[in-house]
Amino acid sequence: MRAFRIDSHDTPAILKEVARPAPGAGEIGIRISACGLNFADLLMLKGEYQDTPPLPFTLGMEVAGTVEALGDGVEGPAIGSRVAVFGGQGGLAEYGCFPADRAVLLPETMSFADAAAFQIAYGTSHVALDHKARLQPGETLLVLGAAGGVGLTAVEIGKLMGATVIACARGADKLEVARNAGADHLIDAETDEIREACRALGGVDVVYDPVGGDQFKSAMRACRPEARILTIGFASGEVPKIPANHLLVKNISVLGLYWGGYLGFRPQVVTDSLTCLFDWYTEGRLKPHISHVLPLEKAQDGLDLMSTRKSTGKVVVTMD
């Protein structure tokens, strides 16, 4: 089978022929139809992600496809089932083996592309806003990186939860994508001063930050008393230093959120969240934004689109 493999952190990943895997105990074998790309894939290429697998490995954290084989001790999902799985690796290939207990049955109305774009982005935003920040109707939510993979879902989910949503992104085109996802107010990170723009709107109660760097600092200064700041990632490349005295004076909380980590210590948080999210999808309340769909042989082009910030929402690679 074909797989997009990384053999060294000093050389590019390449598409190559490898042996088709067989599922081990507790695993299912899937014929992969689609794989969603994530910013973490870019970090894995350089060996900088917290869960980078040992070399060599196949990139691709989340997949959708059809169950073709069951490993020892696995009773389901049944062969032929359409599923999505967060595997952490192995998705950019024609076949893969993943833990059976992570497989989620897909609604009949959900395409493989939507499914591959769904779990990490929507799951991150829902757990962050609902479980961690306890976002309430009527509160004001500031979303940084609002046209990106996770940011756009935060706009969408924040609006569904009854918040007033301020979307911050670079350029008119990306801001229009955020507006279409439900943003009430727009801030252009290229030309506007985030702190002043938010203060003019009365300040913010929750900050959703996958960017870090200077945008974190500006957003923190726009916070109301008892605001909550969600640190989702550091796409800017800069991990901000947090002045604890500012947190004290304004009673601000900074909350870290690593969605995949919950699978190791409180998996029920993820399970409950995904149940809610798939219900919302089935009801037509969520609509994944996929800016690019590419074939497996162009997987590197998809990663380049993300690294150069030329994509919005999600980039999906298909195998069919």
Side-chain angles (χ1 to χ4, degrees), residues 183-226:
D184 299 287
H185 305 284
L186 307 175
I187 297 175
D188 191 333
E190 292 182 338
T191 59
D192 298 330
E193 209 294 310
I194 295 171
R195 175 189 181 186
E196 296 306 319
C198 290
R199 282 188 166 183
L201 295 168
V204 299
D205 300 297
V206 176
V207 177
Y208 183 97
D209 179 20
V211 178
D214 289 339
Q215 290 194 27
F216 175 96
K217 300 170 189 174
S218 294
M220 187 177 68
R221 293 189 180 100
C223 283
R224 295 170 176 162
E226 293 198 320

Side-chain angles (χ1 to χ4, degrees), residues 115-292:
F118 197 80
Q119 288 194 82
I120 293 177
Y122 281 105
T124 295
S125 293
H126 186 253
V127 171
L129 295 175
D130 183 61
H131 177 72
K132 294 288 285 189
R134 307 294 183 187
L135 179 67
Q136 299 298 308
E139 290 191 313
T140 298
L141 166 68
L142 169 63
V143 180
L144 305 178
V150 292
L152 198 60
T153 62
V155 172
E156 197 175 0
I157 290 173
K159 193 64 180 175
L160 275 177
M161 292 178 68
T164 297
V165 180
I166 305 171
C168 179
R170 294 188 179 275
D173 291 345
K174 290 187 176 181
L175 287 171
E176 186 60 25
V177 171
R179 185 197 300 278
N180 290 335
D184 299 287
H185 305 284
L186 307 175
I187 297 175
D188 191 333
E190 292 182 338
T191 59
D192 298 330
E193 209 294 310
I194 295 171
R195 175 189 181 186
E196 296 306 319
C198 290
R199 282 188 166 183
L201 295 168
V204 299
D205 300 297
V206 176
V207 177
Y208 183 97
D209 179 20
V211 178
D214 289 339
Q215 290 194 27
F216 175 96
K217 300 170 189 174
S218 294
M220 187 177 68
R221 293 189 180 100
C223 283
R224 295 170 176 162
E226 293 198 320
R228 292 87 76 202
I229 303 174
L230 293 155
T231 58
I232 308 299
F234 312 103
S236 68
E238 180 186 345
V239 178
K241 295 181 179 179
I242 301 171
N245 58 320
H246 291 194
L247 306 183
L248 181 152
V249 170
K250 296 181 73 174
N251 289 288
I252 294 172
S253 300
V254 178
L255 307 168
L257 190 284
Y258 168 40
W259 180 79
Y262 276 97
L263 294 169
F265 68 92
R266 284 189 67 187
Q268 195 63 42
V269 170
V270 173
T271 300
D272 292 346
S273 172
L274 289 176
T275 297
C276 175
L277 290 167
F278 277 103
D279 285 346
W280 281 353
Y281 179 93
T282 302
E283 294 165 3
R285 303 175 73 187
L286 298 176
K287 184 174 177 57
H289 176 88
I290 302 170
S291 65
H292 296 81

